Amino acid sequence: MAAAMIEEGDSVVYVRDGARGVVVRVEEDRFLIFWEDTFVSWEPVHLVEKIKK
């Protein structure tokens, strides 16, 4: 499951538009993300990918 691979504090990208953010909280099937434009939202696991450092 993708949620096991992404943890709080990880940098992520939204697959639909390439927006970048940081994971603030992880739940079973969604992430709370603080986006680079200072917007915060809950997103489903399948729409978020971890940015490899």
Side-chain angles (χ1 to χ4, degrees):
M1 173 182 261
M5 297 169 34
I6 297 176
E7 300 175 343
E8 291 178 10
D10 285 345
S11 295
V12 295
V13 63
Y14 187 67
V15 298
R16 289 188 175 167
D17 66 6
R20 293 172 180 255
V22 176
V23 176
V24 177
R25 185 167 176 187
V26 177
E27 290 195 358
E28 281 185 30
D29 60 346
R30 62 188 183 157
F31 302 112
L32 181 61
I33 301 171
F34 180 77
W35 298 105
E36 60 193 345
D37 63 357
T38 68
F39 183 74
V40 178
S41 64
W42 285 101
E43 301 299 337
V45 171
H46 68 279
L47 292 180
V48 178
E49 291 181 354
K50 185 174 181 177
I51 297 174
K52 297 178 177 114
K53 295 180 182 181

mmCIF file of all heavy atoms in Angstrom:
data_model
loop_
_atom_site.group_PDB
_atom_site.id
_atom_site.type_symbol
_atom_site.label_atom_id
_atom_site.label_comp_id
_atom_site.label_asym_id
_atom_site.label_seq_id
_atom_site.Cartn_x
_atom_site.Cartn_y
_atom_site.Cartn_z
ATOM 1 N N MET A 1 0.845 -1.189 0.000
ATOM 2 C CA MET A 1 0.000 0.000 0.000
ATOM 3 C C MET A 1 0.879 1.238 0.000
ATOM 4 O O MET A 1 1.883 1.310 0.686
ATOM 5 C CB MET A 1 -0.916 -0.021 1.214
ATOM 6 C CG MET A 1 -1.713 1.264 1.371
ATOM 7 S SD MET A 1 -2.740 1.272 2.822
ATOM 8 C CE MET A 1 -4.280 0.817 2.060
ATOM 9 N N ALA A 2 0.499 2.266 -0.720
ATOM 10 C CA ALA A 2 1.279 3.500 -0.837
ATOM 11 C C ALA A 2 1.407 4.228 0.496
ATOM 12 O O ALA A 2 2.407 4.854 0.761
ATOM 13 C CB ALA A 2 0.653 4.414 -1.877
ATOM 14 N N ALA A 3 0.389 4.139 1.345
ATOM 15 C CA ALA A 3 0.435 4.841 2.622
ATOM 16 C C ALA A 3 1.605 4.376 3.476
ATOM 17 O O ALA A 3 2.160 5.139 4.244
ATOM 18 C CB ALA A 3 -0.875 4.656 3.371
ATOM 19 N N ALA A 4 2.003 3.131 3.349
ATOM 20 C CA ALA A 4 3.130 2.618 4.127
ATOM 21 C C ALA A 4 4.444 3.215 3.647
ATOM 22 O O ALA A 4 5.403 3.301 4.399
ATOM 23 C CB ALA A 4 3.168 1.101 4.040
ATOM 24 N N MET A 5 4.504 3.660 2.402
ATOM 25 C CA MET A 5 5.721 4.206 1.836
ATOM 26 C C MET A 5 5.863 5.708 2.105
ATOM 27 O O MET A 5 6.961 6.227 2.126
ATOM 28 C CB MET A 5 5.750 3.950 0.332
ATOM 29 C CG MET A 5 5.786 2.483 -0.007
ATOM 30 S SD MET A 5 5.499 2.065 -1.752
ATOM 31 C CE MET A 5 6.207 3.384 -2.652
ATOM 32 N N ILE A 6 4.782 6.411 2.294
ATOM 33 C CA ILE A 6 4.806 7.849 2.536
ATOM 34 C C ILE A 6 4.514 8.107 4.004
ATOM 35 O O ILE A 6 3.568 7.568 4.565
ATOM 36 C CB ILE A 6 3.774 8.573 1.643
ATOM 37 C CG1 ILE A 6 4.128 8.382 0.168
ATOM 38 C CG2 ILE A 6 3.711 10.054 1.994
ATOM 39 C CD1 ILE A 6 3.127 8.980 -0.804
ATOM 40 N N GLU A 7 5.352 8.956 4.617
ATOM 41 C CA GLU A 7 5.222 9.258 6.041
ATOM 42 C C GLU A 7 5.122 10.756 6.250
ATOM 43 O O GLU A 7 5.422 11.542 5.351
ATOM 44 C CB GLU A 7 6.446 8.725 6.790
ATOM 45 C CG GLU A 7 6.627 7.231 6.661
ATOM 46 C CD GLU A 7 7.917 6.758 7.310
ATOM 47 O OE1 GLU A 7 8.813 7.588 7.571
ATOM 48 O OE2 GLU A 7 8.018 5.551 7.560
ATOM 49 N N GLU A 8 4.746 11.152 7.455
ATOM 50 C CA GLU A 8 4.697 12.565 7.800
ATOM 51 C C GLU A 8 6.067 13.187 7.570
ATOM 52 O O GLU A 8 7.090 12.591 7.886
ATOM 53 C CB GLU A 8 4.268 12.742 9.254
ATOM 54 C CG GLU A 8 2.834 12.366 9.490
ATOM 55 C CD GLU A 8 2.408 12.490 10.947
ATOM 56 O OE1 GLU A 8 3.159 13.040 11.773
ATOM 57 O OE2 GLU A 8 1.309 12.017 11.262
ATOM 58 N N GLY A 9 6.068 14.367 6.982
ATOM 59 C CA GLY A 9 7.312 15.072 6.702
ATOM 60 C C GLY A 9 7.870 14.825 5.312
ATOM 61 O O GLY A 9 8.776 15.528 4.872
ATOM 62 N N ASP A 10 7.330 13.829 4.604
ATOM 63 C CA ASP A 10 7.795 13.536 3.245
ATOM 64 C C ASP A 10 7.313 14.593 2.260
ATOM 65 O O ASP A 10 6.198 15.102 2.366
ATOM 66 C CB ASP A 10 7.287 12.176 2.770
ATOM 67 C CG ASP A 10 8.005 11.007 3.404
ATOM 68 O OD1 ASP A 10 9.090 11.207 3.993
ATOM 69 O OD2 ASP A 10 7.487 9.871 3.302
ATOM 70 N N SER A 11 8.173 14.908 1.290
ATOM 71 C CA SER A 11 7.787 15.780 0.182
ATOM 72 C C SER A 11 7.055 14.934 -0.850
ATOM 73 O O SER A 11 7.484 13.821 -1.157
ATOM 74 C CB SER A 11 9.021 16.405 -0.454
ATOM 75 O OG SER A 11 9.653 17.262 0.471
ATOM 76 N N VAL A 12 5.950 15.487 -1.365
ATOM 77 C CA VAL A 12 5.126 14.744 -2.309
ATOM 78 C C VAL A 12 4.727 15.621 -3.480
ATOM 79 O O VAL A 12 4.841 16.849 -3.426
ATOM 80 C CB VAL A 12 3.856 14.179 -1.635
ATOM 81 C CG1 VAL A 12 4.203 13.147 -0.580
ATOM 82 C CG2 VAL A 12 3.020 15.290 -1.033
ATOM 83 N N VAL A 13 4.248 14.976 -4.526
ATOM 84 C CA VAL A 13 3.721 15.672 -5.697
ATOM 85 C C VAL A 13 2.325 15.128 -5.985
ATOM 86 O O VAL A 13 2.062 13.942 -5.829
ATOM 87 C CB VAL A 13 4.657 15.518 -6.920
ATOM 88 C CG1 VAL A 13 4.775 14.088 -7.348
ATOM 89 C CG2 VAL A 13 4.216 16.387 -8.069
ATOM 90 N N TYR A 14 1.424 16.036 -6.382
ATOM 91 C CA TYR A 14 0.061 15.667 -6.751
ATOM 92 C C TYR A 14 0.099 15.225 -8.205
ATOM 93 O O TYR A 14 0.525 15.984 -9.084
ATOM 94 C CB TYR A 14 -0.860 16.871 -6.554
ATOM 95 C CG TYR A 14 -2.321 16.589 -6.731
ATOM 96 C CD1 TYR A 14 -3.012 15.776 -5.843
ATOM 97 C CD2 TYR A 14 -3.036 17.161 -7.775
ATOM 98 C CE1 TYR A 14 -4.372 15.539 -5.993
ATOM 99 C CE2 TYR A 14 -4.392 16.937 -7.935
ATOM 100 C CZ TYR A 14 -5.055 16.117 -7.037
ATOM 101 O OH TYR A 14 -6.396 15.881 -7.186
ATOM 102 N N VAL A 15 -0.333 14.013 -8.496
ATOM 103 C CA VAL A 15 -0.155 13.444 -9.827
ATOM 104 C C VAL A 15 -0.958 14.146 -10.919
ATOM 105 O O VAL A 15 -0.571 14.112 -12.080
ATOM 106 C CB VAL A 15 -0.451 11.923 -9.851
ATOM 107 C CG1 VAL A 15 0.512 11.181 -8.945
ATOM 108 C CG2 VAL A 15 -1.875 11.625 -9.472
ATOM 109 N N ARG A 16 -2.035 14.804 -10.596
ATOM 110 C CA ARG A 16 -2.875 15.438 -11.621
ATOM 111 C C ARG A 16 -2.297 16.741 -12.171
ATOM 112 O O ARG A 16 -2.513 17.066 -13.328
ATOM 113 C CB ARG A 16 -4.276 15.693 -11.074
ATOM 114 C CG ARG A 16 -5.063 14.418 -10.904
ATOM 115 C CD ARG A 16 -6.484 14.708 -10.552
ATOM 116 N NE ARG A 16 -7.253 13.477 -10.507
ATOM 117 C CZ ARG A 16 -8.454 13.387 -9.982
ATOM 118 N NH1 ARG A 16 -9.037 14.445 -9.462
ATOM 119 N NH2 ARG A 16 -9.083 12.232 -9.978
ATOM 120 N N ASP A 17 -1.593 17.507 -11.317
ATOM 121 C CA ASP A 17 -1.106 18.802 -11.811
ATOM 122 C C ASP A 17 0.341 19.121 -11.446
ATOM 123 O O ASP A 17 0.842 20.180 -11.789
ATOM 124 C CB ASP A 17 -2.028 19.936 -11.352
ATOM 125 C CG ASP A 17 -2.014 20.150 -9.844
ATOM 126 O OD1 ASP A 17 -1.214 19.503 -9.132
ATOM 127 O OD2 ASP A 17 -2.820 20.980 -9.367
ATOM 128 N N GLY A 18 1.009 18.236 -10.737
ATOM 129 C CA GLY A 18 2.416 18.446 -10.416
ATOM 130 C C GLY A 18 2.680 19.339 -9.223
ATOM 131 O O GLY A 18 3.831 19.669 -8.938
ATOM 132 N N ALA A 19 1.638 19.746 -8.501
ATOM 133 C CA ALA A 19 1.834 20.580 -7.317
ATOM 134 C C ALA A 19 2.646 19.806 -6.280
ATOM 135 O O ALA A 19 2.517 18.584 -6.152
ATOM 136 C CB ALA A 19 0.489 20.989 -6.731
ATOM 137 N N ARG A 20 3.484 20.544 -5.555
ATOM 138 C CA ARG A 20 4.342 19.915 -4.548
ATOM 139 C C ARG A 20 3.906 20.346 -3.152
ATOM 140 O O ARG A 20 3.426 21.463 -2.960
ATOM 141 C CB ARG A 20 5.794 20.304 -4.779
ATOM 142 C CG ARG A 20 6.327 19.723 -6.058
ATOM 143 C CD ARG A 20 7.694 20.255 -6.377
ATOM 144 N NE ARG A 20 8.176 19.672 -7.612
ATOM 145 C CZ ARG A 20 9.107 18.723 -7.675
ATOM 146 N NH1 ARG A 20 9.655 18.272 -6.573
ATOM 147 N NH2 ARG A 20 9.475 18.233 -8.836
ATOM 148 N N GLY A 21 4.115 19.443 -2.193
ATOM 149 C CA GLY A 21 3.762 19.748 -0.819
ATOM 150 C C GLY A 21 4.459 18.821 0.148
ATOM 151 O O GLY A 21 5.267 17.980 -0.240
ATOM 152 N N VAL A 22 4.111 18.992 1.422
ATOM 153 C CA VAL A 22 4.688 18.181 2.500
ATOM 154 C C VAL A 22 3.547 17.516 3.263
ATOM 155 O O VAL A 22 2.556 18.170 3.606
ATOM 156 C CB VAL A 22 5.520 19.054 3.465
ATOM 157 C CG1 VAL A 22 6.040 18.239 4.632
ATOM 158 C CG2 VAL A 22 6.673 19.712 2.716
ATOM 159 N N VAL A 23 3.703 16.232 3.547
ATOM 160 C CA VAL A 23 2.682 15.476 4.275
ATOM 161 C C VAL A 23 2.708 15.892 5.748
ATOM 162 O O VAL A 23 3.746 15.846 6.398
ATOM 163 C CB VAL A 23 2.910 13.956 4.150
ATOM 164 C CG1 VAL A 23 1.906 13.189 4.990
ATOM 165 C CG2 VAL A 23 2.837 13.539 2.689
ATOM 166 N N VAL A 24 1.546 16.302 6.254
ATOM 167 C CA VAL A 24 1.412 16.736 7.637
ATOM 168 C C VAL A 24 0.839 15.611 8.506
ATOM 169 O O VAL A 24 1.212 15.453 9.664
ATOM 170 C CB VAL A 24 0.494 17.986 7.723
ATOM 171 C CG1 VAL A 24 0.286 18.416 9.161
ATOM 172 C CG2 VAL A 24 1.078 19.116 6.894
ATOM 173 N N ARG A 25 -0.054 14.824 7.919
ATOM 174 C CA ARG A 25 -0.702 13.733 8.664
ATOM 175 C C ARG A 25 -1.040 12.606 7.702
ATOM 176 O O ARG A 25 -1.374 12.846 6.546
ATOM 177 C CB ARG A 25 -1.970 14.243 9.328
ATOM 178 C CG ARG A 25 -2.629 13.217 10.210
ATOM 179 C CD ARG A 25 -3.672 13.830 11.076
ATOM 180 N NE ARG A 25 -4.330 12.779 11.828
ATOM 181 C CZ ARG A 25 -5.378 12.957 12.572
ATOM 182 N NH1 ARG A 25 -5.907 14.151 12.690
ATOM 183 N NH2 ARG A 25 -5.920 11.953 13.219
ATOM 184 N N VAL A 26 -0.966 11.380 8.216
ATOM 185 C CA VAL A 26 -1.277 10.194 7.413
ATOM 186 C C VAL A 26 -2.432 9.453 8.061
ATOM 187 O O VAL A 26 -2.416 9.195 9.268
ATOM 188 C CB VAL A 26 -0.052 9.254 7.319
ATOM 189 C CG1 VAL A 26 -0.409 7.997 6.545
ATOM 190 C CG2 VAL A 26 1.131 9.969 6.694
ATOM 191 N N GLU A 27 -3.451 9.131 7.255
ATOM 192 C CA GLU A 27 -4.529 8.246 7.689
ATOM 193 C C GLU A 27 -4.544 7.069 6.731
ATOM 194 O O GLU A 27 -3.769 7.038 5.777
ATOM 195 C CB GLU A 27 -5.853 8.991 7.716
ATOM 196 C CG GLU A 27 -5.904 10.010 8.834
ATOM 197 C CD GLU A 27 -7.302 10.507 9.127
ATOM 198 O OE1 GLU A 27 -8.258 10.100 8.443
ATOM 199 O OE2 GLU A 27 -7.427 11.326 10.047
ATOM 200 N N GLU A 28 -5.394 6.113 6.956
ATOM 201 C CA GLU A 28 -5.420 4.878 6.167
ATOM 202 C C GLU A 28 -5.404 5.099 4.670
ATOM 203 O O GLU A 28 -4.599 4.533 3.951
ATOM 204 C CB GLU A 28 -6.657 4.048 6.528
ATOM 205 C CG GLU A 28 -6.516 3.285 7.798
ATOM 206 C CD GLU A 28 -7.708 2.393 8.026
ATOM 207 O OE1 GLU A 28 -8.323 1.929 7.037
ATOM 208 O OE2 GLU A 28 -8.024 2.147 9.190
ATOM 209 N N ASP A 29 -6.302 5.930 4.185
ATOM 210 C CA ASP A 29 -6.476 6.066 2.739
ATOM 211 C C ASP A 29 -6.302 7.490 2.226
ATOM 212 O O ASP A 29 -6.686 7.816 1.119
ATOM 213 C CB ASP A 29 -7.848 5.552 2.330
ATOM 214 C CG ASP A 29 -8.980 6.314 3.010
ATOM 215 O OD1 ASP A 29 -8.709 7.056 3.980
ATOM 216 O OD2 ASP A 29 -10.124 6.172 2.570
ATOM 217 N N ARG A 30 -5.693 8.364 3.067
ATOM 218 C CA ARG A 30 -5.517 9.752 2.645
ATOM 219 C C ARG A 30 -4.392 10.429 3.420
ATOM 220 O O ARG A 30 -3.974 9.967 4.479
ATOM 221 C CB ARG A 30 -6.817 10.530 2.798
ATOM 222 C CG ARG A 30 -7.293 10.604 4.229
ATOM 223 C CD ARG A 30 -8.659 11.206 4.317
ATOM 224 N NE ARG A 30 -9.040 11.333 5.732
ATOM 225 C CZ ARG A 30 -9.922 12.181 6.168
ATOM 226 N NH1 ARG A 30 -10.548 12.989 5.343
ATOM 227 N NH2 ARG A 30 -10.212 12.247 7.446
ATOM 228 N N PHE A 31 -3.955 11.549 2.852
ATOM 229 C CA PHE A 31 -2.893 12.343 3.458
ATOM 230 C C PHE A 31 -3.363 13.782 3.611
ATOM 231 O O PHE A 31 -4.024 14.312 2.722
ATOM 232 C CB PHE A 31 -1.644 12.376 2.559
ATOM 233 C CG PHE A 31 -1.085 11.030 2.238
ATOM 234 C CD1 PHE A 31 -1.138 10.539 0.944
ATOM 235 C CD2 PHE A 31 -0.495 10.252 3.209
ATOM 236 C CE1 PHE A 31 -0.603 9.305 0.625
ATOM 237 C CE2 PHE A 31 0.039 9.013 2.905
ATOM 238 C CZ PHE A 31 -0.016 8.533 1.620
ATOM 239 N N LEU A 32 -2.976 14.413 4.721
ATOM 240 C CA LEU A 32 -3.174 15.845 4.877
ATOM 241 C C LEU A 32 -1.887 16.489 4.393
ATOM 242 O O LEU A 32 -0.805 16.194 4.897
ATOM 243 C CB LEU A 32 -3.436 16.202 6.336
ATOM 244 C CG LEU A 32 -3.680 17.689 6.613
ATOM 245 C CD1 LEU A 32 -4.925 18.182 5.865
ATOM 246 C CD2 LEU A 32 -3.817 17.948 8.101
ATOM 247 N N ILE A 33 -2.011 17.374 3.395
ATOM 248 C CA ILE A 33 -0.829 17.925 2.749
ATOM 249 C C ILE A 33 -0.846 19.447 2.806
ATOM 250 O O ILE A 33 -1.858 20.087 2.530
ATOM 251 C CB ILE A 33 -0.749 17.464 1.280
ATOM 252 C CG1 ILE A 33 -0.702 15.935 1.250
ATOM 253 C CG2 ILE A 33 0.465 18.075 0.588
ATOM 254 C CD1 ILE A 33 -0.824 15.343 -0.116
ATOM 255 N N PHE A 34 0.328 20.006 3.176
ATOM 256 C CA PHE A 34 0.557 21.445 3.145
ATOM 257 C C PHE A 34 1.241 21.731 1.821
ATOM 258 O O PHE A 34 2.380 21.340 1.599
ATOM 259 C CB PHE A 34 1.443 21.864 4.328
ATOM 260 C CG PHE A 34 1.719 23.336 4.377
ATOM 261 C CD1 PHE A 34 0.744 24.215 4.827
ATOM 262 C CD2 PHE A 34 2.946 23.833 3.980
ATOM 263 C CE1 PHE A 34 1.001 25.578 4.874
ATOM 264 C CE2 PHE A 34 3.206 25.191 4.024
ATOM 265 C CZ PHE A 34 2.232 26.061 4.479
ATOM 266 N N TRP A 35 0.510 22.384 0.908
ATOM 267 C CA TRP A 35 0.994 22.616 -0.452
ATOM 268 C C TRP A 35 1.889 23.841 -0.530
ATOM 269 O O TRP A 35 1.823 24.728 0.320
ATOM 270 C CB TRP A 35 -0.183 22.762 -1.416
ATOM 271 C CG TRP A 35 -1.007 21.523 -1.475
ATOM 272 C CD1 TRP A 35 -2.227 21.328 -0.903
ATOM 273 C CD2 TRP A 35 -0.651 20.283 -2.095
ATOM 274 N NE1 TRP A 35 -2.660 20.048 -1.143
ATOM 275 C CE2 TRP A 35 -1.712 19.377 -1.870
ATOM 276 C CE3 TRP A 35 0.446 19.852 -2.816
ATOM 277 C CZ2 TRP A 35 -1.703 18.083 -2.351
ATOM 278 C CZ3 TRP A 35 0.462 18.548 -3.293
ATOM 279 C CH2 TRP A 35 -0.605 17.676 -3.064
ATOM 280 N N GLU A 36 2.713 23.913 -1.568
ATOM 281 C CA GLU A 36 3.668 24.998 -1.754
ATOM 282 C C GLU A 36 3.002 26.375 -1.847
ATOM 283 O O GLU A 36 3.634 27.388 -1.569
ATOM 284 C CB GLU A 36 4.527 24.749 -2.988
ATOM 285 C CG GLU A 36 3.734 24.631 -4.281
ATOM 286 C CD GLU A 36 4.548 24.083 -5.434
ATOM 287 O OE1 GLU A 36 5.782 24.047 -5.331
ATOM 288 O OE2 GLU A 36 3.936 23.689 -6.439
ATOM 289 N N ASP A 37 1.733 26.424 -2.209
ATOM 290 C CA ASP A 37 1.007 27.698 -2.273
ATOM 291 C C ASP A 37 0.294 28.016 -0.964
ATOM 292 O O ASP A 37 -0.582 28.868 -0.923
ATOM 293 C CB ASP A 37 0.025 27.700 -3.445
ATOM 294 C CG ASP A 37 -1.064 26.651 -3.308
ATOM 295 O OD1 ASP A 37 -1.042 25.867 -2.335
ATOM 296 O OD2 ASP A 37 -1.937 26.591 -4.179
ATOM 297 N N THR A 38 0.669 27.319 0.106
ATOM 298 C CA THR A 38 0.172 27.463 1.485
ATOM 299 C C THR A 38 -1.255 26.957 1.684
ATOM 300 O O THR A 38 -1.852 27.174 2.727
ATOM 301 C CB THR A 38 0.301 28.901 2.032
ATOM 302 O OG1 THR A 38 -0.586 29.768 1.338
ATOM 303 C CG2 THR A 38 1.736 29.399 1.937
ATOM 304 N N PHE A 39 -1.809 26.259 0.715
ATOM 305 C CA PHE A 39 -3.119 25.626 0.826
ATOM 306 C C PHE A 39 -2.933 24.275 1.526
ATOM 307 O O PHE A 39 -1.903 23.628 1.351
ATOM 308 C CB PHE A 39 -3.693 25.426 -0.583
ATOM 309 C CG PHE A 39 -5.062 24.848 -0.608
ATOM 310 C CD1 PHE A 39 -6.168 25.622 -0.262
ATOM 311 C CD2 PHE A 39 -5.273 23.537 -0.999
ATOM 312 C CE1 PHE A 39 -7.450 25.091 -0.307
ATOM 313 C CE2 PHE A 39 -6.552 23.003 -1.035
ATOM 314 C CZ PHE A 39 -7.632 23.777 -0.692
ATOM 315 N N VAL A 40 -3.903 23.852 2.320
ATOM 316 C CA VAL A 40 -3.852 22.557 3.000
ATOM 317 C C VAL A 40 -5.076 21.756 2.585
ATOM 318 O O VAL A 40 -6.189 22.275 2.569
ATOM 319 C CB VAL A 40 -3.832 22.730 4.534
ATOM 320 C CG1 VAL A 40 -3.829 21.378 5.234
ATOM 321 C CG2 VAL A 40 -2.633 23.549 4.964
ATOM 322 N N SER A 41 -4.870 20.462 2.244
ATOM 323 C CA SER A 41 -6.007 19.627 1.851
ATOM 324 C C SER A 41 -5.743 18.154 2.130
ATOM 325 O O SER A 41 -4.604 17.725 2.240
ATOM 326 C CB SER A 41 -6.307 19.815 0.358
ATOM 327 O OG SER A 41 -5.221 19.361 -0.422
ATOM 328 N N TRP A 42 -6.843 17.419 2.248
ATOM 329 C CA TRP A 42 -6.774 15.961 2.357
ATOM 330 C C TRP A 42 -6.812 15.396 0.948
ATOM 331 O O TRP A 42 -7.665 15.787 0.154
ATOM 332 C CB TRP A 42 -7.970 15.420 3.134
ATOM 333 C CG TRP A 42 -7.882 15.643 4.612
ATOM 334 C CD1 TRP A 42 -8.518 16.609 5.322
ATOM 335 C CD2 TRP A 42 -7.136 14.872 5.555
ATOM 336 N NE1 TRP A 42 -8.208 16.494 6.646
ATOM 337 C CE2 TRP A 42 -7.357 15.434 6.827
ATOM 338 C CE3 TRP A 42 -6.286 13.767 5.452
ATOM 339 C CZ2 TRP A 42 -6.771 14.932 7.978
ATOM 340 C CZ3 TRP A 42 -5.705 13.266 6.596
ATOM 341 C CH2 TRP A 42 -5.949 13.835 7.837
ATOM 342 N N GLU A 43 -5.896 14.487 0.641
ATOM 343 C CA GLU A 43 -5.857 13.882 -0.683
ATOM 344 C C GLU A 43 -5.800 12.364 -0.565
ATOM 345 O O GLU A 43 -5.142 11.827 0.325
ATOM 346 C CB GLU A 43 -4.638 14.369 -1.464
ATOM 347 C CG GLU A 43 -4.598 15.865 -1.662
ATOM 348 C CD GLU A 43 -5.775 16.425 -2.440
ATOM 349 O OE1 GLU A 43 -6.424 15.689 -3.199
ATOM 350 O OE2 GLU A 43 -6.044 17.633 -2.292
ATOM 351 N N PRO A 44 -6.482 11.653 -1.476
ATOM 352 C CA PRO A 44 -6.451 10.192 -1.452
ATOM 353 C C PRO A 44 -5.060 9.661 -1.829
ATOM 354 O O PRO A 44 -4.326 10.302 -2.595
ATOM 355 C CB PRO A 44 -7.491 9.788 -2.487
ATOM 356 C CG PRO A 44 -7.702 10.977 -3.341
ATOM 357 C CD PRO A 44 -7.341 12.180 -2.545
ATOM 358 N N VAL A 45 -4.730 8.524 -1.301
ATOM 359 C CA VAL A 45 -3.423 7.896 -1.501
ATOM 360 C C VAL A 45 -3.048 7.783 -2.971
ATOM 361 O O VAL A 45 -1.916 8.070 -3.350
ATOM 362 C CB VAL A 45 -3.417 6.494 -0.835
ATOM 363 C CG1 VAL A 45 -2.171 5.721 -1.191
ATOM 364 C CG2 VAL A 45 -3.539 6.628 0.671
ATOM 365 N N HIS A 46 -3.979 7.415 -3.828
ATOM 366 C CA HIS A 46 -3.654 7.155 -5.232
ATOM 367 C C HIS A 46 -3.332 8.414 -6.042
ATOM 368 O O HIS A 46 -2.859 8.313 -7.168
ATOM 369 C CB HIS A 46 -4.780 6.356 -5.907
ATOM 370 C CG HIS A 46 -6.062 7.118 -6.065
ATOM 371 N ND1 HIS A 46 -6.969 7.258 -5.043
ATOM 372 C CD2 HIS A 46 -6.556 7.782 -7.123
ATOM 373 C CE1 HIS A 46 -7.986 7.977 -5.471
ATOM 374 N NE2 HIS A 46 -7.766 8.320 -6.736
ATOM 375 N N LEU A 47 -3.533 9.603 -5.470
ATOM 376 C CA LEU A 47 -3.249 10.837 -6.210
ATOM 377 C C LEU A 47 -1.970 11.534 -5.755
ATOM 378 O O LEU A 47 -1.664 12.634 -6.215
ATOM 379 C CB LEU A 47 -4.425 11.817 -6.077
ATOM 380 C CG LEU A 47 -5.714 11.386 -6.759
ATOM 381 C CD1 LEU A 47 -6.796 12.433 -6.555
ATOM 382 C CD2 LEU A 47 -5.490 11.137 -8.243
ATOM 383 N N VAL A 48 -1.226 10.884 -4.870
ATOM 384 C CA VAL A 48 -0.012 11.497 -4.317
ATOM 385 C C VAL A 48 1.173 10.549 -4.485
ATOM 386 O O VAL A 48 1.058 9.349 -4.247
ATOM 387 C CB VAL A 48 -0.218 11.798 -2.818
ATOM 388 C CG1 VAL A 48 1.027 12.381 -2.200
ATOM 389 C CG2 VAL A 48 -1.396 12.750 -2.619
ATOM 390 N N GLU A 49 2.308 11.119 -4.917
ATOM 391 C CA GLU A 49 3.531 10.321 -5.058
ATOM 392 C C GLU A 49 4.653 10.980 -4.263
ATOM 393 O O GLU A 49 4.769 12.212 -4.261
ATOM 394 C CB GLU A 49 3.955 10.221 -6.516
ATOM 395 C CG GLU A 49 3.037 9.394 -7.364
ATOM 396 C CD GLU A 49 3.500 9.307 -8.811
ATOM 397 O OE1 GLU A 49 4.484 9.977 -9.177
ATOM 398 O OE2 GLU A 49 2.846 8.579 -9.574
ATOM 399 N N LYS A 50 5.468 10.180 -3.629
ATOM 400 C CA LYS A 50 6.615 10.679 -2.877
ATOM 401 C C LYS A 50 7.673 11.195 -3.838
ATOM 402 O O LYS A 50 7.940 10.584 -4.882
ATOM 403 C CB LYS A 50 7.192 9.549 -2.025
ATOM 404 C CG LYS A 50 8.299 9.977 -1.108
ATOM 405 C CD LYS A 50 8.719 8.832 -0.210
ATOM 406 C CE LYS A 50 9.800 9.237 0.742
ATOM 407 N NZ LYS A 50 10.144 8.143 1.654
ATOM 408 N N ILE A 51 8.273 12.336 -3.496
ATOM 409 C CA ILE A 51 9.368 12.886 -4.296
ATOM 410 C C ILE A 51 10.652 12.232 -3.824
ATOM 411 O O ILE A 51 10.975 12.263 -2.632
ATOM 412 C CB ILE A 51 9.463 14.416 -4.139
ATOM 413 C CG1 ILE A 51 8.201 15.086 -4.668
ATOM 414 C CG2 ILE A 51 10.709 14.947 -4.839
ATOM 415 C CD1 ILE A 51 8.130 16.575 -4.427
ATOM 416 N N LYS A 52 11.352 11.626 -4.761
ATOM 417 C CA LYS A 52 12.616 10.980 -4.420
ATOM 418 C C LYS A 52 13.701 12.028 -4.293
ATOM 419 O O LYS A 52 13.837 12.884 -5.156
ATOM 420 C CB LYS A 52 12.973 9.949 -5.478
ATOM 421 C CG LYS A 52 11.959 8.839 -5.546
ATOM 422 C CD LYS A 52 12.294 7.851 -6.621
ATOM 423 C CE LYS A 52 11.281 6.727 -6.582
ATOM 424 N NZ LYS A 52 10.440 6.667 -7.737
ATOM 425 N N LYS A 53 14.461 11.935 -3.220
ATOM 426 C CA LYS A 53 15.517 12.921 -2.961
ATOM 427 C C LYS A 53 16.780 12.615 -3.700
ATOM 428 O O LYS A 53 17.105 11.607 -4.108
ATOM 429 C CB LYS A 53 15.806 12.981 -1.470
ATOM 430 C CG LYS A 53 14.600 13.498 -0.706
ATOM 431 C CD LYS A 53 14.872 13.556 0.764
ATOM 432 C CE LYS A 53 13.626 14.021 1.499
ATOM 433 N NZ LYS A 53 13.786 14.120 2.898
#
